[in-house]
Amino acid sequence: MKLRVVMQQLGLVLLVMCFCMLLITAWASYLWWADDAAEELFAIKGLIGAIITGGAAGISLWAGGMMRWGKPKEDRPFDESSLGRREALLLVALTWLVGAALSGLPYYLWWHLGDHAMDHQFRSAVSCYFEAMSGLTTTGATVLSDIEAVPRSLLLWRATTHWLGGLGIVVLFVAVLPTLGVGGKRLFNVEAPGPQQQGVRPRIRETARVLWLIYLMFTIVQVVLYRIFGLDWFESVCHTFATLATGGFSTHNASIGFYNKVEIGWFNSWMIDIITIVFMILAGINFGLYYHLARRRFNVIWKDPELRTYLGIIIVATIIVSASLVGRNIVETDGDQIVADTTDAVRYGLFQVVSIQTTTGFATADFNLWNFLPKMVLLLLMFVGASAGSTGGGIKVIRIIVGVKVIFAEVEKVFRPNVVRTIKVGKGVVSPELRQAVLVYIIGIVSLFGVGSIALMLLEPAGSIDYVTAATASAATLNNIGPGLNMVGAVENYGFFSSGSKFVMSLLMALGRLEVYAIFVMLAPSFWKTD
């Protein structure tokens, strides 16, 4: 285990976080100077958080440098074999676990070093860690009951943690640093979601750079569209960061449903929903396909089986949910109630299906009050998730495809035992190793969901939560969605949970975002042994 490599690269990642904190601190300082007294706390405390994060980065870099002492000269540079698979796994895990702790500093310092007369969730270090982990893992679950009472600079920092975590701090790190060489491929394959990546470029640094350019382009386009249709620059940026990262942090208690009633006009309100839906769908698609789109390889895109299945699931689920909503009462996230005609049913049904399928977690209606069928559809979509290679969470559509094909193949063996059926996805043959890996992963996610649900029931006082709340809280955090049902529904929050439960859910978020293995391998003693 080459810990020096891990420590030095972790230090560089933390420097990126420090730089982002400093940028937002500078913006808060400007707002404070412009006579916005609410921003004074972040202008000062954000700077302290940036200094601490920078100090942690310096210590990590220094420790990595110290570990090089006594090494042979030829072993000191970061050659192409420096970042092995174990180092990549450790670096990815530490980036999220340590990064969440440092990302929670602005929340913690804002409360503890300020003059607050009332109690607040950010008084607890565990709650701050939960909020930060939720941001970096693009989960979008929050402990805040009154989001609008938080300073804008702190809300922008929440959104920024989404944006950084969206395609992965680590992928950004590979894109801008040339020191990893082939080792960077190992890192990318560990962090980028999904069982296998759609080939984009033969060199991993170029791949990561292309992905981030695409990500940046989408960001700029969505911010401008939001601004055109009535949002100010601050809200446009925050909601764009949350949408493209499939995160779900909003600047309002009513989430995207807030814009149904504000003075931006009926047409603009519809357009905000449409823009959000379109970019949630785009964020849930394998980003490798966008490279092919740029190269005008349209045939490759349309023939992609995961994309077609992903869009098909959205269409079918929308039809089922919308049909069940026609003529029924729909309670919007701001508390207003309407009787849904066909247009309303499609509007709210499509938005919520896309939000849950892509694991974004935005809401325009309180789907917890819907009848059984649409809620069960949304619950299933929580586990299906988005495409591999996207910013979304969940099991991933490609795994669902492989899993279903394996099940049908095994069923056929019952009555045709001599038939050897080759399983294909598109033109590719699914190897026995990949079949096993997919099934093990699906079983692992279902097992973690069950263990998480039981843990939450045991950690909370008897009778304080029901099983639906515990189960959907476990599913929503493990699959990086955010809202669940009952006490963690679309208009609720996670603030009432005990510190123990919040820590368990923070771990579930990390496990889901890093697809389980990057965390669990650290528990194996052989992982730490030197070969």
Side-chain angles (χ1 to χ4, degrees):
M1 174 72 71
K2 299 175 182 177
L3 288 177
R4 65 180 180 85
V5 180
V6 176
M7 296 302 292
Q8 288 207 329
Q9 308 299 1
L10 177 63
L12 293 170
V13 173
L14 296 182
L15 282 179
V16 173
M17 295 182 60
C18 174
F19 177 72
C20 292
M21 282 188 194
L22 287 173
L23 285 179
I24 297 177
T25 299
W27 181 68
S29 300
Y30 168 76
L31 294 178
W32 180 25
W33 174 79
D35 206 25
D36 188 347
E39 302 300 331
E40 176 184 356
L41 286 177
F42 192 91
I44 299 172
K45 281 63 179 182
L47 178 60
I48 297 174
I51 292 172
I52 295 173
T53 302
I59 292 172
S60 184
L61 289 168
W62 174 82
M66 289 296 292
M67 291 177 187
R68 296 174 67 186
W69 285 51
K71 296 288 183 182
K73 186 175 181 179
E74 61 273 11
D75 188 44
R76 292 184 184 179
F78 293 114
D79 57 27
E80 299 231 318
S81 62
S82 291
L83 192 69
R85 184 157 186 80
R86 288 189 299 177
E87 287 82 7
L89 287 164
L90 181 59
L91 177 56
V92 167
L94 289 178
T95 297
W96 259 262
L97 298 176
V98 176
L102 294 172
S103 296
L105 280 175
Y107 309 136
Y108 189 79
L109 294 172
W110 172 74
W111 171 257
H112 281 271
L113 300 184
D115 184 18
H116 297 285
M118 60 178 182
D119 198 8
H120 196 276
Q121 282 295 331
F122 288 161
R123 183 178 181 179
S124 163
V126 176
S127 293
C128 294
Y129 188 80
F130 178 96
E131 195 81 6
M133 182 65 80
S134 180
L136 286 178
T137 58
T138 72
T139 302
T142 184
V143 297
L144 297 175
S145 58
D146 188 2
I147 297 170
E148 295 166 7
V150 176
R152 287 187 293 170
S153 50
L154 207 59
L155 294 178
L156 180 58
W157 173 245
R158 288 170 84 235
T160 302
T161 59
H162 266 345
W163 194 79
L164 289 174
L167 198 56
I169 298 174
V170 181
V171 176
L172 172 63
F173 165 68
V174 176
V176 298
L177 294 174
T179 57
L180 293 180
V182 173
K185 186 171 185 179
R186 300 192 184 101
L187 184 63
F188 183 80
N189 288 336
V190 170
E191 195 284 323
Q196 56 184 354
Q197 300 305 313
Q198 177 76 24
V200 180
R201 296 285 293 272
R203 296 183 59 187
I204 191 64
R205 285 202 309 275
E206 294 303 314
T207 300
R209 189 174 290 114
V210 168
L211 293 179
W212 269 98
L213 287 174
I214 294 169
Y215 196 55
L216 181 61
M217 179 192 70
F218 280 162
T219 300
I220 294 171
V221 171
Q222 189 180 356
V223 167
V224 172
L225 286 174
Y226 271 151
R227 185 69 186 94
I228 290 172
F229 290 101
L231 273 62
D232 61 31
W233 287 113
F234 165 71
E235 295 192 355
S236 297
V237 169
C238 287
H239 286 97
T240 295
F241 282 4
T243 304
L244 288 179
T246 62
F249 277 158
S250 177
T251 57
H252 298 287
N253 297 327
S255 188
I256 296 295
F258 172 83
Y259 300 107
N260 289 339
K261 296 296 181 293
V262 296
E263 297 299 324
I264 61 174
W266 172 85
F267 177 73
N268 283 1
S269 174
W270 266 84
M271 287 306 300
I272 296 302
D273 279 10
I274 292 171
I275 292 167
T276 307
I277 288 169
V278 169
F279 280 91
M280 285 192 294
I281 292 174
L282 292 175
I285 294 173
N286 185 337
F287 270 61
L289 294 178
Y290 296 126
Y291 179 81
H292 293 298
L293 180 63
R295 292 291 183 270
R296 299 187 179 184
R297 298 170 184 165
F298 304 114
N299 197 39
V300 173
I301 297 170
W302 179 243
K303 287 185 177 180
D304 183 75
E306 185 179 32
L307 175 62
R308 288 185 291 178
T309 304
Y310 167 72
L311 296 176
I313 291 172
I314 290 176
I315 292 171
V316 172
T318 299
I319 292 172
I320 295 172
V321 171
S322 299
S324 68
L325 294 178
V326 175
R328 294 182 179 271
N329 290 334
I330 293 180
V331 178
E332 298 175 325
T333 50
D334 61 359
D336 287 352
Q337 184 171 304
I338 64 169
V339 177
D341 57 20
T342 303
T343 302
D344 292 326
V346 172
R347 178 185 183 181
Y348 290 98
L350 174 62
F351 188 98
Q352 221 52 69
V353 164
V354 172
S355 180
I356 298 301
Q357 166 86 45
T358 61
T359 72
T360 305
F362 279 142
T364 54
D366 186 0
F367 55 81
N368 187 55
L369 300 178
W370 294 355
N371 58 5
F372 176 80
L373 180 59
K375 285 199 292 188
M376 288 304 100
V377 171
L378 294 181
L379 184 60
L380 288 174
L381 293 179
M382 288 183 184
F383 285 92
V384 173
S387 303
S390 72
T391 61
I395 291 173
K396 303 296 190 305
V397 173
I398 189 65
R399 286 198 182 96
I400 300 298
I401 295 172
V402 174
V404 170
K405 285 179 177 288
V406 169
I407 290 172
F408 277 112
E410 293 301 315
V411 169
E412 186 180 20
K413 279 186 179 180
V414 173
F415 60 90
R416 300 178 68 184
N418 296 324
V419 173
V420 178
R421 183 74 65 189
T422 300
I423 297 177
K424 291 185 176 182
V425 176
K427 293 183 179 180
V429 177
V430 180
S431 66
E433 293 79 9
L434 183 56
R435 292 188 220 173
Q436 181 181 1
V438 167
L439 292 179
V440 167
Y441 183 83
I442 293 174
I443 293 171
I445 287 293
V446 174
S447 300
L448 283 172
F449 158 68
V451 171
S453 304
I454 295 171
L456 295 180
M457 290 293 292
L458 294 176
L459 288 169
E460 295 301 305
S464 61
I465 64 171
D466 57 275
Y467 184 73
V468 172
T469 297
T472 56
S474 176
T477 50
L478 178 62
N479 294 306
N480 305 130
I481 294 163
L485 297 175
N486 285 13
M487 296 173 69
V488 291
V491 296
E492 308 297 338
N493 62 81
Y494 288 74
F496 65 88
F497 279 104
S498 65
S499 293
S501 293
K502 289 173 185 172
F503 183 79
V504 168
M505 288 186 287
S506 296
L507 181 59
L508 289 175
M509 292 180 212
L511 286 168
R513 181 64 178 90
L514 302 181
E515 307 223 323
V516 179
Y517 300 114
I519 302 294
F520 277 168
V521 292
M522 294 193 296
L523 302 178
S526 57
F527 177 78
W528 301 96
K529 291 180 180 179
T530 303
D531 293 333

mmCIF file of all heavy atoms in Angstrom, residues 3-4 7-8 57-68:
data_model
loop_
_atom_site.group_PDB
_atom_site.id
_atom_site.type_symbol
_atom_site.label_atom_id
_atom_site.label_comp_id
_atom_site.label_asym_id
_atom_site.label_seq_id
_atom_site.Cartn_x
_atom_site.Cartn_y
_atom_site.Cartn_z
ATOM 1 N N LEU A 3 0.821 4.562 0.740
ATOM 2 C CA LEU A 3 0.040 5.589 1.411
ATOM 3 C C LEU A 3 0.478 6.995 1.029
ATOM 4 O O LEU A 3 -0.322 7.935 1.052
ATOM 5 C CB LEU A 3 0.131 5.404 2.930
ATOM 6 C CG LEU A 3 -0.626 4.202 3.507
ATOM 7 C CD1 LEU A 3 -0.378 4.100 5.000
ATOM 8 C CD2 LEU A 3 -2.114 4.314 3.231
ATOM 9 N N ARG A 4 1.757 7.149 0.685
ATOM 10 C CA ARG A 4 2.239 8.477 0.336
ATOM 11 C C ARG A 4 1.513 9.022 -0.897
ATOM 12 O O ARG A 4 1.199 10.208 -0.981
ATOM 13 C CB ARG A 4 3.745 8.445 0.085
ATOM 14 C CG ARG A 4 4.175 7.605 -1.114
ATOM 15 C CD ARG A 4 5.683 7.618 -1.323
ATOM 16 N NE ARG A 4 6.056 6.812 -2.481
ATOM 17 C CZ ARG A 4 6.046 7.274 -3.727
ATOM 18 N NH1 ARG A 4 5.694 8.531 -3.949
ATOM 19 N NH2 ARG A 4 6.394 6.493 -4.723
ATOM 20 N N MET A 7 -2.036 10.050 0.259
ATOM 21 C CA MET A 7 -2.029 11.274 1.064
ATOM 22 C C MET A 7 -1.796 12.505 0.203
ATOM 23 O O MET A 7 -2.444 13.546 0.388
ATOM 24 C CB MET A 7 -0.966 11.174 2.155
ATOM 25 C CG MET A 7 -1.220 10.091 3.178
ATOM 26 S SD MET A 7 -2.805 10.287 4.034
ATOM 27 C CE MET A 7 -2.484 11.779 4.981
ATOM 28 N N GLN A 8 -0.875 12.426 -0.739
ATOM 29 C CA GLN A 8 -0.598 13.589 -1.574
ATOM 30 C C GLN A 8 -1.768 13.919 -2.491
ATOM 31 O O GLN A 8 -2.129 15.087 -2.654
ATOM 32 C CB GLN A 8 0.679 13.353 -2.380
ATOM 33 C CG GLN A 8 1.938 13.396 -1.518
ATOM 34 C CD GLN A 8 3.164 13.817 -2.295
ATOM 35 O OE1 GLN A 8 3.268 13.557 -3.482
ATOM 36 N NE2 GLN A 8 4.097 14.460 -1.623
ATOM 37 N N ALA A 57 -5.422 20.025 4.033
ATOM 38 C CA ALA A 57 -4.792 19.708 2.747
ATOM 39 C C ALA A 57 -3.271 19.775 2.874
ATOM 40 O O ALA A 57 -2.547 18.908 2.374
ATOM 41 C CB ALA A 57 -5.280 20.678 1.673
ATOM 42 N N GLY A 58 -2.793 20.807 3.574
ATOM 43 C CA GLY A 58 -1.352 20.952 3.769
ATOM 44 C C GLY A 58 -0.759 19.796 4.557
ATOM 45 O O GLY A 58 0.320 19.292 4.216
ATOM 46 N N ILE A 59 -1.464 19.377 5.607
ATOM 47 C CA ILE A 59 -0.990 18.256 6.418
ATOM 48 C C ILE A 59 -0.928 16.979 5.587
ATOM 49 O O ILE A 59 0.026 16.200 5.671
ATOM 50 C CB ILE A 59 -1.902 18.066 7.652
ATOM 51 C CG1 ILE A 59 -1.739 19.248 8.614
ATOM 52 C CG2 ILE A 59 -1.593 16.748 8.358
ATOM 53 C CD1 ILE A 59 -2.733 19.248 9.746
ATOM 54 N N SER A 60 -1.968 16.778 4.771
ATOM 55 C CA SER A 60 -1.998 15.585 3.923
ATOM 56 C C SER A 60 -0.851 15.601 2.917
ATOM 57 O O SER A 60 -0.176 14.586 2.708
ATOM 58 C CB SER A 60 -3.344 15.504 3.197
ATOM 59 O OG SER A 60 -3.449 14.325 2.442
ATOM 60 N N LEU A 61 -0.607 16.749 2.308
ATOM 61 C CA LEU A 61 0.495 16.865 1.355
ATOM 62 C C LEU A 61 1.842 16.672 2.052
ATOM 63 O O LEU A 61 2.745 16.013 1.528
ATOM 64 C CB LEU A 61 0.450 18.231 0.669
ATOM 65 C CG LEU A 61 -0.693 18.437 -0.334
ATOM 66 C CD1 LEU A 61 -0.795 19.902 -0.722
ATOM 67 C CD2 LEU A 61 -0.477 17.577 -1.578
ATOM 68 N N TRP A 62 1.968 17.253 3.243
ATOM 69 C CA TRP A 62 3.212 17.131 3.999
ATOM 70 C C TRP A 62 3.464 15.676 4.403
ATOM 71 O O TRP A 62 4.578 15.170 4.276
ATOM 72 C CB TRP A 62 3.154 18.009 5.238
ATOM 73 C CG TRP A 62 4.329 17.830 6.152
ATOM 74 C CD1 TRP A 62 5.564 18.391 6.047
ATOM 75 C CD2 TRP A 62 4.368 17.012 7.329
ATOM 76 N NE1 TRP A 62 6.381 17.992 7.070
ATOM 77 C CE2 TRP A 62 5.669 17.136 7.878
ATOM 78 C CE3 TRP A 62 3.444 16.195 7.977
ATOM 79 C CZ2 TRP A 62 6.052 16.463 9.036
ATOM 80 C CZ3 TRP A 62 3.827 15.530 9.129
ATOM 81 C CH2 TRP A 62 5.119 15.669 9.644
ATOM 82 N N ALA A 63 2.383 14.997 4.870
ATOM 83 C CA ALA A 63 2.522 13.593 5.277
ATOM 84 C C ALA A 63 2.924 12.727 4.086
ATOM 85 O O ALA A 63 3.778 11.838 4.206
ATOM 86 C CB ALA A 63 1.213 13.094 5.888
ATOM 87 N N GLY A 64 2.321 13.003 2.923
ATOM 88 C CA GLY A 64 2.687 12.242 1.735
ATOM 89 C C GLY A 64 4.134 12.490 1.341
ATOM 90 O O GLY A 64 4.846 11.569 0.924
ATOM 91 N N GLY A 65 4.586 13.741 1.494
ATOM 92 C CA GLY A 65 5.972 14.057 1.181
ATOM 93 C C GLY A 65 6.934 13.406 2.147
ATOM 94 O O GLY A 65 7.997 12.914 1.746
ATOM 95 N N MET A 66 6.574 13.365 3.432
ATOM 96 C CA MET A 66 7.442 12.751 4.436
ATOM 97 C C MET A 66 7.603 11.255 4.183
ATOM 98 O O MET A 66 8.655 10.677 4.446
ATOM 99 C CB MET A 66 6.864 12.970 5.832
ATOM 100 C CG MET A 66 6.956 14.414 6.321
ATOM 101 S SD MET A 66 8.676 14.964 6.526
ATOM 102 C CE MET A 66 9.189 13.959 7.916
ATOM 103 N N MET A 67 6.528 10.629 3.668
ATOM 104 C CA MET A 67 6.593 9.186 3.415
ATOM 105 C C MET A 67 7.533 8.849 2.258
ATOM 106 O O MET A 67 7.895 7.698 2.059
ATOM 107 C CB MET A 67 5.187 8.642 3.113
ATOM 108 C CG MET A 67 4.263 8.641 4.305
ATOM 109 S SD MET A 67 2.599 8.081 3.861
ATOM 110 C CE MET A 67 1.726 8.401 5.399
ATOM 111 N N ARG A 68 7.925 9.869 1.479
ATOM 112 C CA ARG A 68 8.832 9.617 0.367
ATOM 113 C C ARG A 68 10.281 9.544 0.826
ATOM 114 O O ARG A 68 11.145 9.071 0.105
ATOM 115 C CB ARG A 68 8.684 10.738 -0.674
ATOM 116 C CG ARG A 68 7.317 10.782 -1.314
ATOM 117 C CD ARG A 68 7.167 11.979 -2.226
ATOM 118 N NE ARG A 68 8.029 11.870 -3.390
ATOM 119 C CZ ARG A 68 8.178 12.837 -4.292
ATOM 120 N NH1 ARG A 68 7.532 13.966 -4.145
ATOM 121 N NH2 ARG A 68 8.990 12.675 -5.321
#
